[in-house]
Amino acid sequence: MKRLCIYVMAVVLLAVAALVAMFLSHPRNMFAWAEDAASSHGNALWHIVHELCAPDMMASGNPAPCITVDLTRGYAVLKDIQGKTQYLLVPTAKIAGIESSELLSLKTPNYWAAAWRARTLVEDRIGHPVPREDIGLAVNSMDGRTQNQLHIHIDCVRPDVRDTLQREGGRIGSGWTIIDLGESPHHFQAHWLAGDDLGSRDPLRILADTDPMARYDMGEETLALIGASRPDGTPGFIMLSNRDNKANNYTAAAERLLDHKCSIASIDKYNLEKVVEILGKPMRAGVR
């Protein structure tokens, strides 16, 4: 009964937090009441992972209510209450968020690499594999989040963001390039990472090592990682970072680059194959 109460309470608190998240793009003074309501419940995620998922995994090998718990690598993955395809990767250690200094330590697990591997859960919800360009990860700034436990959002990318990155991707290199993703005048900066997966590379450490302003105050940063490919097919990722601008009431939340309605799921690959078949055109290998 105690466990059930904990879970129900945490779910209710996360619902309140989700309500607040919908208003993050608006001036803070207009929605102070909603943020205040969620601020006292900022540990809901921590309670779910620390008091339910991890103990269940240790006791029975069943990570419920999480989808998975990796005690060796120190993280849990659970379905978010918002959206049909959104998942969250949450450390099993107490880590507040993007501002936490331990995230820059080489001894800390690479949560981003684990979150990218967990993208298959999004594909499972969609019902078929999707191109890497359609999946993204995001961590919000301190002011852009509702939970005081690090969590990486895993979900579909907004179609307009995907299209812009595909159109502008050729000019994004190993340095930082300014790019407009609909957050004007608060543009993101973009950085290319080559490779099918991250390996030992941690996007948060890369941000801190290559952007002195970010390292000075990581709490004001937001960071997204979106799958990408070069025109020649070389796989990689595009890192996208942005900062709070309190003077302009702008809260940096890279989660806004994701699409919790997952619009790409409405385009069924099997219907596309049928159309091509009717037109009498051969299917290319790898079309998804």
Side-chain angles (χ1 to χ4, degrees), residues 121-281:
L121 294 171
V122 176
E123 294 181 323
D124 290 343
R125 297 285 289 189
I126 294 173
H128 57 76
V130 298
R132 63 190 292 117
E133 293 83 0
D134 288 340
I135 303 293
L137 315 176
V139 168
N140 296 329
S141 68
M142 286 180 65
D143 286 344
R145 70 179 190 238
T146 58
Q147 292 294 299
N148 295 319
Q149 172 67 8
L150 177 69
H151 53 287
I152 301 178
H153 298 266
I154 310 166
D155 207 349
C156 302
V157 176
R158 272 176 24 208
D160 63 304
V161 171
R162 176 197 58 192
D163 294 345
T164 299
L165 293 179
Q166 289 180 339
R167 184 175 60 251
E168 304 288 339
R171 66 183 184 89
I172 300 173
S174 56
W176 288 102
T177 302
I178 301 299
I179 188 168
D180 182 1
L181 293 174
E183 295 286 306
S184 182
H186 308 284
H187 299 318
F188 279 77
Q189 58 176 359
H191 179 99
W192 168 260
L193 290 177
D196 189 56
D197 56 40
L198 288 171
S200 62
R201 296 171 299 175
D202 187 304
L204 198 61
R205 294 174 196 149
I206 293 173
L207 174 63
D209 289 343
T210 57
D211 186 339
M213 184 178 292
R215 192 177 189 98
Y216 176 75
D217 190 352
M218 292 295 288
E220 293 191 356
E221 292 288 330
T222 188
L223 182 62
L225 184 77
I226 296 177
S229 299
R230 291 300 201 193
D232 64 0
T234 301
F237 304 89
I238 294 177
M239 288 174 48
L240 297 163
S241 73
N242 200 351
R243 292 181 61 81
D244 289 340
N245 188 326
K246 293 180 173 59
N248 293 328
N249 291 318
Y250 177 76
T251 303
E255 182 190 353
R256 290 197 290 264
L257 302 179
L258 304 181
D259 176 15
H260 297 322
K261 294 182 180 179
C262 195
S263 301
I264 61 168
S266 64
I267 304 176
D268 188 281
K269 74 166 187 173
Y270 302 106
N271 290 336
L272 292 177
E273 290 174 353
K274 188 64 177 178
V275 169
V276 173
E277 179 183 338
I278 293 174
L279 292 175
K281 297 180 179 179

Side-chain angles (χ1 to χ4, degrees), residues 10-18 79-84 86 88:
V11 169
V12 171
L13 297 181
L14 279 174
V16 174
K79 176 68 183 68
D80 191 82
I81 60 174
Q82 182 182 8
K84 63 181 180 181
Q86 182 183 191
L88 302 176

